[in-house]
Amino acid sequence: MPEQEPRSVVIIGAGPVGCALATLLRRQGLEVDVFERGAESAGTGSGHSFNLTLTSRGLDCLPASVKRRLYLQGSVLVKRIIHHRDGAISTQPYGATNAHHLLSIPRGVLQDILRDQSLRAGARIHYGLTCVDVDPGRPAALLRSTDGTTTWVAGDLLVACDGANSAVRGAIATDHPAELWVDRDTIPHGYAEITMDYGDADPTGMHLWPRDDHFLQSQPNRDQTFTTSLFKPLAGGARHRHFSELTSPEQVRAHCAAEFPDVFVRMAGVGKDLTTRGPGLLRIVNCGPYHHRRAILVGDAAHAVVPFFGQGINCSFEDVATLARLLEKFQFASSGDSGPVAETVAEEYSDARVAAGHALAELSLRNFEELSNHVNSRSFLARRALEARLHEQHPDLFTPLYQLVAFTNVPYDVAQRVHREASEVLDAACRGRDPRRDQDAIIEEFVRHHDRDLTPARRRAG
Ligand SMILES: Cc1cc2nc3c(=O)[nH]c(=O)nc-3n(C[C@H](O)[C@H](O)[C@H](O)COP(=O)(O)OP(=O)(O)OC[C@H]3O[C@@H](n4cnc5c(N)ncnc54)[C@H](O)[C@@H]3O)c2cc1C
């Protein structure tokens, strides 16, 4: 009998998600070709540089060897360090123990590690090729090279890892509008990097300056530099986009001196930083389902979320692990007729991931208020302290939302629902009581109500 050709997967986009997927698929013996529109030497993405925070949710989806390399290059952050308007500084741990931490890593470093791992695993990355159309049934992608010539490449499965503006998603939605809906939005806030000389600051936390409708965020790097970003409402049309009120270096300097007086002297170039390049846009893309025939959407191609929960890439790595698991479960690598298997895997993948992606979009948008405003508020902090104590005493009954989202693998939609239901019971227990003074009474009441009201709801959620 002739030996069967190895099953092949075409991946569009060699960003962090495409490379992570390529590594896992090579481990199953699949032939993997990744097509990337950028040049080999170029960075990927928008051109803005920022750090990504990984949490155990995303990290645990990657092979141990990749995780080890990321920990060698990233910074472990165990708390938020809040710089209040009056100059006071307070801290908030991310979870119940230091095991609950963020791993902050420059996007370019993460990208290099993941690309290197995929190449070592035997994936082929082809640069300078832009996907301009797809045929999801075959499945195949039409690629345009830098000299303008086009060519179709086909495989047994096509995976779009081409980011928020996915050409694959766009082509499917255009050709099959009844099969794939897409919702796109840009929020009124943008972001920009600021160069800040902050090397002597505490490197174990994420520094945050919450200022109502805007905030500054600074994350330590391993080389004692900090990556600092301003998130602020935008003004101006597409061509002349700038931050509201900040059109000249003088206005920028006056704004930063008033809003961030404790670090203003460390931002010598801020006037230039914020006026020579337009701020980056923050996009939300929701769509469904995450597949059509033998084409699958993974990472930002399926769900671009605003970065206020720091979970976009974590969710994307969960997509990657889910897809790899399903390909293994259905023995795609050794399937006789790959077509039906690929379609089954695509459907199951979509069923497993769509609700999670949509829930993360909502959670991420809502967390803007927490970063820019609530972390300053005494009532918010009292509620968080109450929740931490409740979790400490009854970890099986209540887990703070941040912890559920960042440090477990409970699907985002389930985490959202379970937390909403538990919060309603906690709200009721707080009624007429002061969360600062009456913690014991509130917790006692919560447990009574939880046993009575919430257990059936949790059973439903499970
Ligand atoms: C300001 C900001 C901060 C963020 N912070 C965090 C954070 O702290 N934690 C977190 O988890 N997430 C964060 N995110 C989200 C995270 O950056 C994304 O989830 C992640 O980059 C998605 O990776 P991706 O590989 O799917 O897409 P991308 O990173 O966009 O990569 C897509 C790749 O596809 C290529 N490509 C695009 N179109 C084509 C085409 N037509 N043909 C061929 N190739 C193509 C691109 O060149 C690129 O290489 C943040 C996002 C932003 C904007």
Side-chain angles (χ1 to χ4, degrees):
M1 259 188 40
E3 226 175 77
Q4 184 192 288
E5 288 276 303
R7 295 283 163 234
S8 65
V9 179
V10 167
I11 296 178
I12 305 298
V17 174
C19 291
L21 180 65
T23 301
L24 293 193
L25 299 194
R26 279 297 300 148
R27 290 176 169 218
Q28 294 183 22
L30 295 162
E31 288 293 306
V32 179
D33 286 278
V34 187
F35 297 95
E36 164 61 45
R37 72 176 171 196
E40 185 166 4
S41 52
T44 57
S46 61
H48 287 274
S49 80
F50 47 85
N51 279 25
L52 296 179
T53 54
L54 298 169
T55 63
S56 56
R57 181 185 283 275
L59 284 162
D60 290 347
C61 296
L62 301 172
S65 55
V66 178
K67 230 170 113 172
R68 255 195 315 277
R69 288 183 71 182
L70 295 176
Y71 268 94
L72 286 174
Q73 298 280 326
S75 304
V76 170
L77 311 183
V78 295
K79 61 195 174 207
R80 279 184 192 144
I81 303 173
I82 315 287
H83 299 251
H84 299 274
R85 266 187 197 281
D86 61 4
I89 292 179
S90 63
T91 59
Q92 293 167 17
Y94 277 119
T97 71
N98 284 356
H100 294 147
H101 60 257
L102 316 185
L103 184 69
S104 170
I105 188 158
R107 188 191 146 83
V109 174
L110 172 73
Q111 171 69 60
D112 286 349
I113 292 173
L114 292 170
R115 182 175 41 214
D116 181 58
Q117 288 285 141
S118 69
L119 292 171
R120 284 184 198 209
R124 293 179 289 259
I125 304 182
H126 313 269
Y127 292 93
L129 291 168
T130 302
C131 174
V132 290
D133 200 3
V134 292
D135 175 350
R138 218 164 122 201
L142 182 63
L143 302 169
R144 193 181 55 222
S145 66
T146 42
D147 64 9
T149 53
T150 55
T151 178
W152 283 96
V153 292
D156 294 296
L157 183 70
L158 174 72
V159 189
C161 300
D162 52 346
N165 293 319
S166 171
V168 178
R169 186 189 64 223
I172 296 173
T174 304
D175 294 345
H176 309 277
E179 309 290 334
L180 177 70
W181 62 267
V182 182
D183 236 14
R184 302 169 59 106
D185 204 359
T186 303
I187 67 163
H189 284 72
Y191 69 98
E193 194 195 353
I194 292 176
T195 311
M196 192 157 97
D197 176 15
Y198 205 37
D200 53 346
D202 184 345
T204 63
M206 166 92 75
H207 293 259
L208 189 67
W209 289 258
R211 298 293 184 262
D212 301 327
D213 74 341
H214 61 284
F215 67 91
L216 185 72
Q217 174 181 291
S218 195
Q219 305 183 46
N221 298 311
R222 286 298 273 254
D223 60 1
Q224 290 189 313
T225 61
F226 278 68
T227 301
T228 306
S229 306
L230 176 67
F231 292 84
K232 189 170 162 53
L234 298 166
R239 282 189 53 230
H240 304 290
R241 193 186 334 126
H242 56 78
F243 286 120
S244 54
E245 315 124 41
L246 307 183
T247 50
S248 69
E250 295 70 36
Q251 284 172 329
V252 168
R253 280 194 291 271
H255 175 81
C256 292
E259 295 293 284
F260 317 113
D262 55 332
V263 283
F264 176 61
V265 291
R266 295 161 180 268
M267 305 173 172
V270 71
K272 196 165 153 236
D273 286 342
L274 297 189
T275 50
T276 48
R277 195 164 58 158
L281 295 177
L282 294 171
R283 294 193 174 83
I284 303 174
V285 180
N286 265 316
C287 71
Y290 289 169
H291 76 291
H292 182 60
R293 306 283 310 273
R294 286 200 264 170
I296 298 181
L297 309 176
V298 171
D300 276 19
H303 43 69
V305 302
V306 288
F308 306 129
F309 225 118
Q311 282 292 309
I313 196 90
N314 292 283
C315 178
S316 303
F317 289 155
E318 273 192 329
D319 294 347
V320 164
T322 304
L323 178 55
R325 212 168 26 244
L326 287 169
L327 288 167
E328 200 160 21
K329 177 178 160 193
F330 288 97
Q331 301 180 351
F332 180 71
S334 54
S335 54
D337 180 358
S338 66
V341 180
E343 294 204 18
T344 303
V345 166
E347 260 179 61
E348 292 228 356
Y349 163 81
S350 199
D351 286 350
R353 296 306 296 159
V354 168
H358 293 174
L360 180 62
E362 277 178 37
L363 288 164
S364 302
L365 201 52
R366 225 173 296 143
N367 218 44
F368 174 75
E369 278 296 304
E370 176 160 336
L371 293 179
S372 61
N373 201 346
H374 292 164
V375 286
N376 264 329
S377 128
R378 281 163 61 86
S379 59
F380 171 86
L381 296 178
R383 171 70 175 225
R384 285 290 176 270
L386 171 67
E387 291 185 354
R389 176 112 184 268
L390 175 55
H391 175 68
E392 199 180 297
Q393 293 184 4
H394 301 282
D396 48 333
L397 301 188
F398 187 91
T399 303
L401 181 63
Y402 192 90
Q403 218 166 299
L404 265 180
V405 167
F407 308 123
T408 73
N409 58 8
V410 174
Y412 292 114
D413 51 314
V414 177
Q416 188 183 36
R417 189 171 64 241
V418 164
H419 188 265
R420 188 172 48 232
E421 289 170 354
S423 291
E424 282 165 12
V425 178
L426 189 56
D427 289 345
C430 285
R431 224 157 277 144
R433 297 189 171 97
D434 179 339
R436 269 169 290 250
R437 270 199 332 260
D438 307 328
Q439 279 193 351
D440 290 338
I442 293 171
I443 290 173
E444 220 171 277
E445 180 75 0
F446 174 87
V447 172
R448 231 188 344 262
H449 274 266
H450 185 281
D451 289 346
R452 201 187 63 203
D453 302 340
L454 204 60
T455 310
R458 279 212 157 173
R459 270 205 299 272
R460 274 201 311 279

